[in-house]
Amino acid sequence: MSASHIPDIRQYQEWLSTEGIDVVRVTYPDLIGTDRARDVLVDHLPSACAHGLAFCKAVYHTTPQGDVVPVAGGLEAGLPDISVRPDLSTLAALPWEPGVATCLGEVTDPATGGPAPESPRDLLRTVLARCAEHGLRPVIGPELEYFLLAPAPGAPAGWCRASETTGSVYTAGLRADPENHLLRTLRQLRDLGIGAVTGNHEFDGGQYEINLTHSEALDAADRAFRFKSAVKELARQEGNLATFMAKPFTDAGGSGFHLHLSCEDADGRNAFDDPSGAYGLSATARHAIAGVLAHAPALAALANPTINSFKRFGPDTLAPWLIDWGLDNRSAMVRIPPERGSGARLELRLGDASANPYLLIAGTIAAALLGVQAGEEPPTPLEGYGYDTARSAVLPMTLPAALDALEADTELTDVLGKDFTTSFLTYKRDEAERFGRHVTDWEFTEYAYHL
């Protein structure tokens, strides 16, 4: 940040002072999409913008339990720094925390002066630059589900669904949400300005879905990242837990992260629409669908990135575990909604709510772009209810299998970058190995008494 930018910073400081804000929370996503942050007193903003905030690079390689995975560039390099500068153009006051505003941070590696290879936001930028070379501007509409949990000291995990009401899918109001969680959350998200538009109770007790408006892909990823952070923080404020875990309960369905993807051409028109094309879709759209199908096994590693993710799959779950596509068919992995014209798009239903928004969006767009470059047509769309292995190939059904598929898909990893791919695979394989050594409650219940 040069001295010439100081007057701009002072303008932000004046705005913050007028709003009664004396702290700016600078946040950025780690490898799994969790927010990492530092609170900065407004008086220190010029220094933070000029010099950056130092964070240990190994934060990208740190597990949810606080252990550092030995990823290249971290432990063995002596735990070097990354530098995070506030992006003041993303400033927003936190409606639920008086005196505090938040903004995203721009990450650089001091050793190279460029982005850190693990930075999810910069990975997405790299993929979008490849799209721009082909005259395409991806537009994304995110849909996320989550569970709201209340403290339950007697429960095995210490939490229970809030509430336990079942059979209230696609409802709003007190019938399934007696504490009015959804209404309060929607209003707070509206005031945060991240494009929340609708919300409803979902299939299972304590499960909700909130939809965000569509926008250019990086902005959509930013908003999805901030959405997840905000929902979790609002729940904590009330003593509850909002979890985007893929499948937190054995007896309940999972939570999805569906992406609606279209592309604009150089003239701003929807490049997926063509009334004279097959299914009312342009060749670009059909090639994009073929690309997503072709790279789906590798994409599963980014869309379903945890051990738990694959417990969401299975017959009659409405979670896709076969590689297929269909016209307005919710049992397909790729659904083509009925709208055409400016609304022509594909919906990828593969992702679960635990996915890092930046990585899921980057991977999906990369797969679609590879399809456009290859120029292949997709197979015949699925008709009727899916989940028939005689008609469609099966996705990887475990995290290790998905990681192997990602490593083997050199076309996709070439777009994502070698350094990122190596870091992600190392980090996630450590997760799978740790789980393989862990004795679960199920194992004890199943074996201990009788064997």
Side-chain angles (χ1 to χ4, degrees):
M1 179 73 67
S2 68
S4 64
H5 290 87
I6 295 299
D8 294 336
I9 297 172
R10 288 176 180 157
Q11 289 176 1
Y12 284 115
Q13 287 177 300
E14 290 172 4
W15 174 80
L16 291 165
S17 177
T18 300
E19 296 295 318
I21 292 168
D22 64 347
V23 171
V24 173
R25 182 163 299 154
V26 182
T27 68
Y28 65 98
D30 66 9
L31 203 55
I32 61 175
T34 298
D35 53 312
R36 303 289 178 170
R38 184 168 297 163
D39 284 344
V40 179
L41 291 169
V42 168
D43 290 343
H44 187 66
L45 265 185
S47 175
C49 291
H51 305 293
L53 304 169
F55 285 82
C56 179
K57 183 180 180 182
V59 72
Y60 283 123
H61 317 147
T62 301
T63 73
Q65 300 304 311
D67 300 316
V68 179
V69 180
V71 174
L75 279 173
E76 107 289 346
L79 300 171
D81 275 348
I82 55 171
S83 179
V84 180
R85 285 179 169 81
D87 178 358
L88 298 183
S89 69
T90 65
L91 266 178
L94 285 179
W96 58 87
E97 198 161 355
V100 180
T102 184
C103 72
L104 296 173
E106 295 284 9
V107 180
T108 57
D109 184 343
T112 64
E118 297 93 340
S119 171
R121 201 166 181 240
D122 288 294
L123 172 66
L124 177 54
R125 282 187 172 124
T126 299
V127 173
L128 293 175
R130 293 281 292 270
C131 288
E133 294 171 0
H134 291 80
L136 296 174
R137 178 177 176 269
V139 175
I140 294 288
E143 295 180 355
L144 286 122
E145 299 168 339
Y146 64 93
F147 277 90
L148 181 70
L149 310 181
W159 299 92
C160 66
R161 282 164 277 196
S163 70
E164 297 281 0
T165 304
T166 58
S168 296
V169 61
Y170 297 158
T171 62
L174 301 180
R175 174 158 52 122
D177 183 15
E179 300 298 323
N180 244 338
H181 157 80
L182 181 63
L183 202 54
R184 282 196 311 280
T185 301
L186 269 177
R187 286 172 171 157
Q188 297 277 34
L189 295 174
R190 174 200 61 198
D191 294 344
L192 183 60
I194 59 170
V197 289
T198 63
N200 57 265
H201 189 271
E202 259 295 339
F203 268 85
D204 290 293
Q207 189 182 37
Y208 300 89
E209 177 177 326
I210 293 178
N211 297 331
L212 305 177
T213 188
H214 63 275
S215 68
E216 182 274 328
L218 181 61
D219 177 71
D222 286 342
R223 292 185 296 106
F225 166 65
R226 298 175 92 163
F227 164 79
K228 292 177 75 172
S229 299
V231 168
K232 288 182 283 189
E233 193 75 355
L234 287 167
R236 291 185 189 110
Q237 193 177 55
E238 298 182 348
N240 295 322
L241 173 68
T243 181
F244 291 86
M245 181 178 174
K247 186 176 170 67
F249 299 101
T250 302
D251 62 347
S255 292
F257 184 171
H258 298 169
L259 287 184
H260 292 255
L261 167 65
S262 62
C263 285
E264 292 181 351
D265 62 20
D267 296 320
R269 292 189 293 263
N270 188 333
F272 280 9
D273 180 59
D274 182 356
S276 64
Y279 318 111
L281 300 172
S282 69
T284 298
R286 299 194 305 274
H287 299 334
I289 293 166
V292 171
L293 297 176
H295 297 281
L299 189 56
L302 305 177
N304 313 112
T306 71
I307 292 290
N308 176 257
S309 293
F310 295 85
K311 296 179 181 179
R312 170 176 164 263
F313 291 166
D316 301 321
T317 60
L318 289 181
W321 50 283
L322 298 178
I323 302 171
D324 50 19
W325 75 289
L327 302 173
D328 199 13
N329 191 329
R330 282 182 169 81
S331 66
M333 187 190 79
V334 176
R335 169 180 171 258
I336 307 303
E339 295 87 354
R340 295 294 183 268
S342 62
R345 65 194 187 276
L346 66 83
E347 178 192 11
L348 179 67
R349 300 173 61 81
L350 175 60
D352 68 64
S354 68
N356 182 330
Y358 297 96
L359 302 188
L360 174 57
I361 292 172
T364 303
I365 292 172
L369 178 61
L370 288 169
V372 172
Q373 291 175 299
E376 300 289 340
E377 290 286 333
T380 302
L382 172 72
E383 293 186 5
Y385 194 54
Y387 308 112
D388 182 355
T389 56
R391 291 192 286 176
S392 305
V394 180
L395 283 158
M397 296 301 284
T398 65
L399 179 60
L403 296 174
D404 289 345
L406 176 62
E407 184 175 33
D409 192 337
T410 54
E411 278 191 307
L412 187 66
T413 58
D414 282 348
V415 179
L416 300 178
K418 178 182 177 181
D419 290 340
F420 162 77
T421 303
T422 299
S423 296
F424 184 81
L425 290 173
T426 302
Y427 181 88
K428 282 295 172 180
R429 281 178 171 148
D430 175 85
E431 179 179 327
E433 289 166 4
R434 286 186 289 114
F435 179 76
R437 296 190 298 268
H438 182 74
V439 178
T440 65
D441 294 343
W442 183 91
E443 291 169 280
F444 189 89
T445 301
E446 185 79 2
Y447 305 128
Y449 185 80
H450 296 286
L451 300 182

